[in-house]
Amino acid sequence: MVVEINLLEQKEKRNVLPFIILGFFVLVSLIIVVTLGFQRSQLVAQTEAKEERIQQIQQDQEKFTQPVDNEGTERDQLKDSLDQLKATIVPTIPFVERLVSLLPERGFFESFTLTGASEVTVVARFDTIKQAAKFTSTLNQESVISNVELASVETSVVDETEDLYDYQPRYIASYYLVLNESTLLSEKGLSE
């Protein structure tokens, strides 16, 4: 057997445990810092996105509130128009009663349309063309009517063998009347 003699001092082995512990803490600290930084950046991004969404919603709300303000003015305009219309109501019932009294015995209104504040379209039926002409003449003499226009006269076929009261009159006259509102309102719709 050979004996080895080492006269050199042996180096002491360093204790690496404190370095390992220190490295472990540095590594854990680094992981924590990176994780917190990542979460912080995500929270900042979410906050910015939500702030942009809030601004977008506020802009949308402003868009919706502006028409509401306009609707208020439109509502006021409509109310003013309604008040003006109520102030200028034309009494048509007495006028229609007067027109009916002017019709001949077998004269009928097929339609009565108030087309404007002072414009009326009337379609009437008569047995003879002479009755239609007489009705036109009578309308021209009325003080509440400022203009009478006979728009058209049409005829419908009638079987002559039928009784006079079994069919509608043959002549269909269409009138366009312009009313004199001041006279109509002053006479209270011909109620005298």
Side-chain angles (χ1 to χ4, degrees):
M1 186 145 144
V2 182
V3 177
E4 278 186 46
I5 301 177
N6 188 1
L7 296 173
L8 294 174
E9 284 184 34
Q10 281 191 349
K11 288 183 180 177
E12 283 185 33
K13 289 188 178 181
R14 286 187 176 172
N15 190 2
V16 285
L17 186 61
F19 293 114
I20 292 175
I21 293 173
L22 182 66
F24 176 74
F25 282 121
V26 168
L27 182 64
V28 169
S29 299
L30 184 64
I31 290 173
I32 290 173
V33 167
V34 168
T35 304
L36 289 177
F38 180 71
Q39 286 180 348
R40 180 183 177 277
S41 65
Q42 282 184 335
L43 288 175
V44 167
Q46 286 177 353
T47 304
E48 289 175 357
K50 289 187 180 192
E51 286 176 358
E52 288 177 14
R53 180 72 178 138
I54 288 171
Q55 289 176 353
Q56 181 66 32
I57 289 172
Q58 287 174 343
Q59 289 174 353
D60 291 344
Q61 285 178 340
E62 288 175 6
K63 289 177 186 175
F64 289 124
T65 56
Q66 285 177 344
V68 169
D69 295 339
N70 290 341
E71 284 179 9
T73 14
E74 288 176 5
R75 189 172 291 146
D76 292 340
Q77 289 174 350
L78 285 175
K79 186 177 178 186
D80 292 341
S81 297
L82 182 63
D83 291 341
Q84 288 176 352
L85 285 176
K86 284 182 180 179
T88 59
I89 291 178
V90 178
T92 55
I93 293 176
F95 177 69
V96 172
E97 290 172 347
R98 177 71 178 147
L99 285 181
V100 169
S101 70
L102 297 176
L103 284 172
E105 181 183 339
R106 286 226 346 117
F108 301 99
F109 281 131
E110 214 170 71
S111 71
F112 177 91
T113 308
L114 192 61
T115 56
S118 62
E119 299 170 356
V120 177
T121 304
V122 176
V123 177
R125 296 184 79 109
F126 302 100
D127 279 326
T128 65
I129 195 77
K130 189 175 182 181
Q131 289 176 340
K134 185 176 178 185
F135 184 70
T136 306
S137 173
T138 309
L139 288 177
N140 279 322
Q141 294 172 2
E142 287 294 312
S143 62
V144 292
I145 302 173
S146 62
N147 185 23
V148 176
E149 181 181 321
L150 180 60
S152 67
V153 176
E154 299 174 6
T155 59
S156 61
V157 178
V158 176
D159 186 8
E160 296 293 333
T161 60
E162 289 186 31
D163 185 24
L164 180 67
Y165 295 101
D166 287 343
Y167 63 89
Q168 288 187 344
R170 111 177 16 200
Y171 294 98
I172 304 168
S174 180
Y175 295 94
Y176 176 74
L177 310 174
V178 177
L179 304 178
N180 187 347
E181 276 187 67
S182 60
T183 308
L184 187 65
L185 291 172
S186 68
E187 294 183 10
K188 303 278 192 242
L190 304 168
S191 61
E192 292 143 351

